[in-house]
């Protein structure tokens, strides 16, 4: 046997003994002596100790499983699904899709009670079909031209299809468009004074006050503000308006798609500041997370979470960072420890 | 010189061990006797630790690789091993001597993924025992009762688990690059007019 293996076995035996709870001062003295005998002993011990300490991180996952029951490899892998799970992106819930299809048929004057929110749809002075989602809701709407729209949480759109134009007004929130090709009828999304024009492509538009954010995952899109000629956006582009200006970041398509994980009910963070991550969670949940401590707000994290499962998120924060959560009826207040 | 509040042991765990995957890649590339890699790793660590007692190096990674290079050269000189290629100015070395920059360190979430991956690599019985011990925090005795096996078997599985986990976490593990994949070089351009 290799010499190093023997050393490692001794080191593991010491670690096991120390870990067992039966650990006397004499034991500690004997371990110290063994560590001092040879530096190879010490480095072997430190290495195993470091690995064993890191393994304690698994406790963060323990919350999701019954005590005494060991989760399967699949179950564990699912609970730590990678951030770039593109394959998971679009299996949109069929029941929801069907529900929204039916709703669009009713369109004219429908009253809906979803959860605690009531959504009223009237034909009003302007024609067109209207759709809206409650907080935490995600819904897909097929359009008559073959395109489809997916609405994110707390979002509302109006759809007007004419011979010359396919016009969508984004009243609030965020929507993803999968546009069927039709060169004769441009597909125009309006959000306030901004226009986004597409022919056949995939992109999302998010309204943040008067500003908007556009993410393109396929094809080509033209974005116009009130006083600019417009910017052409290609796949992977993430564009934001800042008043009349347009700032464009060019990313890879998978990265751009990460930002659209909400379509399958996830939020994805990549080295994101906690303040920003929390703002994102708050879009999906009535119960708001509040950060009291600037140091906590500055924590950066990477990961993928169910957007409506803020409890797991908060629990993970508590387990892995120096963060304490205080629960009130309508808030979760985060502070440093 | 040791700085206060950061022992040599802590330094070794935090600054040196994360480079183990890179070190092992290097050793495997230039050392033919693969059954000696484990011994080499331990000797390199021991030698580095000894040297760091006297003076803590500025760059742990550069120091780790120069320690490795010297140790391999010594071995060749002593004639114990002749099948070594390119000790010294290996091109492999040049690319690897960049420090882990702060943003390339693993976030807590990435660490969790790595450890979960390591756990999932364990043999089934061993995996069960480690989960119950580490996550559910059962004692050795409780684990034995829970699984209907002897305490001795449980201890054997923990010993095995400790070694396999370290191996998976430090050696086999995806490099920091793979796990982190923070593609943070964004080209922010402004077009449009005032």
């Amino acid at each position: 046997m290799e010499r190093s293996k023997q050393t490692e076995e001794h080191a593991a035996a010491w670690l096991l003994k120390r870990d067992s709870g039966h650990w006397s001062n004499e034991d500690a003295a004997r371990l110290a002596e063994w560590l001092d005998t040879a530096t190879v002993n010490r480095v072997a011990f430190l290495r195993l100790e470091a690995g064993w300490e890191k393994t304690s991180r698994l406790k963060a996952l323990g919350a999701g499983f019954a005590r005494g029951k060991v989760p399967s490899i699949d179950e564990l892998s699912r609970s730590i699904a990678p951030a770039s799970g593109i394959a998971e992106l679009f299996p949109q819930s069929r029941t929801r899709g069907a529900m929204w299809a039916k709703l669009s048929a009713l369109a004219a004057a429908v009253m809906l009670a979803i959860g605690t929110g009531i959504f009223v749809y009237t034909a009003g002075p302007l024609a067109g079909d209207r759709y809206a989602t409650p907080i935490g809701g995600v819904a897909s709407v097929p359009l008559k031209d073959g395109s489809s729209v997916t609405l994110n949480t707390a979002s509302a759109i109006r759809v007007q299809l004419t011979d010359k134009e396919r016009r969508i007004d984004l009243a609030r929130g965020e929507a993803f468009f999968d546009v069927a090709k039709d060169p004769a009828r441009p597909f125009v999304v309006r959000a306030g004074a901004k226009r986004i024009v597409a022919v056949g492509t995939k992109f999302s538009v998010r309204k943040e006050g008067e500003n908007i954010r556009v993410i393109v995952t396929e094809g080509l899109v033209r974005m116009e503000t009130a006083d600019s000629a417009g910017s052409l956006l290609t796949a992977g582009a993430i564009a934001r308006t800042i008043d009349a200006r347009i700032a464009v970041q060019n990313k890879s398509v998978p990265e751009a798609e990460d930002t659209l994980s909400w379509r399958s009910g996830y939020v994805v963070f990549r080295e994101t500041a906690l303040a920003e991550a929390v703002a994102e969670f708050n879009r999906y949940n009535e119960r708001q997370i509040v950060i009291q401590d600037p140091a906590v707000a500055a924590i950066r994290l990477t990961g993928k979470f169910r957007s409506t499962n803020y409890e797991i998120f908060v629990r993970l924060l508590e387990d892995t960072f120096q963060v304490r959560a205080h629960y009130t009826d309508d808030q979760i207040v985060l502070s440093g420890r | 010189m040791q700085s206060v509040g950061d022992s040599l042991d802590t330094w070794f765990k935090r600054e040196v061990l994360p480079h183990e995957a890179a070190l092992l890649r290097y050793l495997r590339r230039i050392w033919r006797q693969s059954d000696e890699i484990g011994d080499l790793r331990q000797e390199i660590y021991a030698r580095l630790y000894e040297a760091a007692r006297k003076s803590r190096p500025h760059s742990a990674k550069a120091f780790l690789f120069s320690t490795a290079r010297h140790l391999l050269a010594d071995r060749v000189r002593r004639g114990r091993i002749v099948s070594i290629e390119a000790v010294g100015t290996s091109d492999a070395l040049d690319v690897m001597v960049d420090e882990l920059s702060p943003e390339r360190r693993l976030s807590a979430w990435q660490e969790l993924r790595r450890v979960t991956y390591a756990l999932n690599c364990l043999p089934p019985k061993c995996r069960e025992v480690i989960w119950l011990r580490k996550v559910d925090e059962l004692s050795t005795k409780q684990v034995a009762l829970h699984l209907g096996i002897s305490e001795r078997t449980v201890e054997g599985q923990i010993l095995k688990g400790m070694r396999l986990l370290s191996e998976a976490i430090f050696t086999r593990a995806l490099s920091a690059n793979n796990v982190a994949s923070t593609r943070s070089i964004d080209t922010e351009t402004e077009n449009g007019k005032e």
Side-chain angles (χ1 to χ4, degrees):
Chain A
M1 195 198 310
E2 289 171 65
R3 208 165 49 87
S4 59
K5 280 237 174 67
Q6 282 177 12
T7 315
E8 203 174 273
E9 275 170 14
H10 282 131
W14 277 113
L15 195 55
L16 175 73
K17 178 141 180 62
R18 200 187 62 181
D19 205 54
S20 70
H22 310 289
W23 188 245
S24 64
N25 289 341
E26 291 86 78
D27 290 329
R30 279 174 51 224
L31 170 60
E33 192 189 326
W34 183 77
L35 292 175
D36 285 340
T37 309
T39 311
V40 285
N41 293 353
R42 182 175 294 274
V43 292
F45 184 81
L46 288 175
R47 183 169 170 277
L48 289 186
E49 191 185 34
W52 194 236
E53 282 163 358
K54 280 184 192 292
T55 309
S56 302
R57 286 186 181 276
L58 289 171
K59 280 182 210 157
L61 298 179
F65 302 99
R67 208 172 131 79
K69 191 195 163 293
V70 183
S72 71
I73 289 179
D74 277 357
E75 285 170 329
L76 267 197
S77 303
R78 267 201 301 279
S79 65
I80 52 149
S84 57
I86 300 157
E88 303 171 33
L89 266 181
F90 233 129
Q92 182 69 47
S93 156
R94 291 197 184 281
T95 47
R96 268 191 171 161
M99 181 178 94
W100 283 95
K102 263 184 205 156
L103 282 181
S104 78
L106 292 173
V110 186
M111 233 175 121
L112 267 181
I114 305 170
T116 53
I118 295 174
F119 293 77
V120 184
Y121 296 81
T122 55
L126 292 164
D129 299 336
R130 287 153 188 259
Y131 308 92
T133 46
I135 290 176
V138 173
S140 235
V141 185
L143 303 181
K144 287 185 196 102
D145 70 327
S147 304
S148 75
V149 185
T150 309
L151 289 181
N152 199 0
T153 177
S155 304
I157 57 165
R158 181 164 58 102
V159 180
Q160 289 172 288
L161 303 179
T162 68
D163 291 344
K164 292 200 186 84
E165 193 184 66
R166 293 171 286 176
R167 176 176 171 163
I168 315 284
D169 285 277
L170 179 66
R172 63 171 180 275
E174 180 171 17
F176 175 83
F177 304 94
D178 184 347
V179 181
K181 265 205 173 63
D182 187 351
R185 282 197 299 171
F187 193 95
V188 181
V189 179
R190 285 167 199 272
K194 281 92 179 172
R195 272 163 45 98
I196 300 97
V197 185
V199 177
T201 178
K202 294 182 184 175
F203 65 103
S204 80
V205 181
R206 171 166 164 181
K207 201 161 181 284
E208 293 161 331
E210 284 311 298
N211 287 317
I212 60 167
R213 187 187 71 175
V214 176
I215 300 169
V216 184
T217 59
E218 195 183 300
L220 201 64
V221 157
R222 191 173 76 243
M223 186 166 163
E224 297 167 1
T225 59
D227 55 354
S228 86
S231 291
L232 274 184
L233 307 177
T234 54
I238 299 182
R240 285 186 179 78
T241 62
I242 304 155
D243 301 327
R245 291 180 304 148
I246 299 170
V248 182
Q249 285 178 297
N250 288 306
K251 305 222 177 196
S252 67
V253 172
E255 224 172 339
E257 285 191 321
D258 261 6
T259 348
L260 300 174
S261 304
W262 56 263
R263 292 175 300 175
S264 46
Y266 288 95
V267 285
V268 173
F269 305 124
R270 286 178 183 276
E271 303 288 327
T272 309
L274 186 57
E276 206 180 306
V278 158
E280 195 62 19
F281 262 102
N282 286 346
R283 292 174 67 203
Y284 296 92
N285 299 286
E286 299 275 6
R287 197 175 194 175
Q288 299 285 292
I289 306 174
V290 178
I291 303 177
Q292 261 184 349
D293 188 337
V296 171
I299 288 173
R300 291 193 170 264
L301 66 143
T302 295
K304 177 172 185 170
F305 305 87
R306 275 258 159 227
S307 49
T308 48
N309 200 344
Y310 58 87
E311 275 151 338
I312 290 269
F313 174 69
V314 170
R315 163 111 203 188
L316 191 86
L317 289 178
E318 285 188 293
D319 283 343
T320 44
F321 299 106
Q322 296 292 320
V323 170
R324 187 197 301 278
H326 175 70
Y327 290 77
T328 68
D329 282 348
D330 55 350
Q331 284 190 341
I332 300 167
V333 181
L334 302 181
S335 54
R337 222 175 258 169
Chain B
M1 210 174 68
Q2 276 180 239
S3 63
V4 183
D6 190 9
S7 72
L8 194 54
D9 288 356
T10 311
W11 172 82
F12 177 78
K13 286 183 191 169
R14 203 190 54 221
E15 301 295 329
V16 179
L17 287 178
H19 301 296
E20 182 167 305
L23 175 70
L24 270 280
R25 274 198 302 275
Y26 169 64
L27 292 178
R28 288 203 193 95
R29 189 155 39 212
I30 67 169
W31 203 260
R32 291 263 175 86
Q33 274 75 10
S34 59
D35 56 340
E36 293 184 343
I37 300 280
D39 283 357
L40 283 175
R41 174 179 67 196
Q42 209 168 78
E43 272 185 59
I44 291 165
Y45 282 161
R47 208 186 254 207
L48 173 142
Y49 190 95
E50 289 290 342
R53 260 191 224 279
K54 293 171 199 117
S55 140
R56 193 102 45 101
H58 175 66
S59 159
K61 189 172 189 182
F63 189 57
L64 177 65
F65 280 93
S66 81
T67 306
R69 211 163 46 220
H70 286 124
L71 188 128
L72 297 180
D74 285 354
R75 282 218 167 184
V76 173
R77 261 198 298 280
R78 277 183 284 157
R80 287 172 54 188
I81 294 295
V82 279
S83 59
I84 185 168
E85 302 147 13
V87 177
T89 57
S90 157
D91 57 336
L93 268 180
D94 299 330
V95 270
M96 288 191 286
V97 189
D98 62 323
E99 281 296 281
L100 270 184
S101 58
E103 64 272 20
R104 281 165 91 191
R105 287 183 191 282
L106 300 182
S107 71
W109 177 255
Q110 288 154 347
E111 286 266 23
L112 176 63
R113 282 178 57 202
R114 174 183 281 205
V115 172
T116 306
Y117 171 78
L119 180 85
N120 278 346
C121 290
L122 296 178
K125 183 58 78 187
C126 186
R127 184 174 171 278
E128 262 187 324
V129 168
I130 297 291
W131 177 273
L132 294 170
R133 181 83 191 84
K134 267 307 210 192
V135 181
D136 293 337
E137 297 177 287
L138 302 183
S139 69
T140 311
K141 192 175 215 154
Q142 288 167 323
V143 174
L145 279 173
H146 190 80
L147 296 177
I149 53 179
S150 74
E151 261 188 83
R152 214 182 147 71
T153 309
V154 172
E155 286 177 352
Q157 295 293 347
I158 294 177
L159 288 173
K160 184 160 140 193
M162 283 171 169
R163 299 177 55 200
L164 290 176
L165 284 167
S166 281
E167 207 63 28
I169 291 170
F170 298 119
T171 310
R172 193 141 31 102
L174 329 131
S175 72
N177 297 340
N178 286 344
V179 183
S181 71
T182 31
R183 286 156 284 176
S184 57
I185 316 127
D186 299 327
T187 43
E188 181 109 10
T189 56
E190 297 234 320
N191 36 17
K193 60 184 183 191
E194 294 293 338

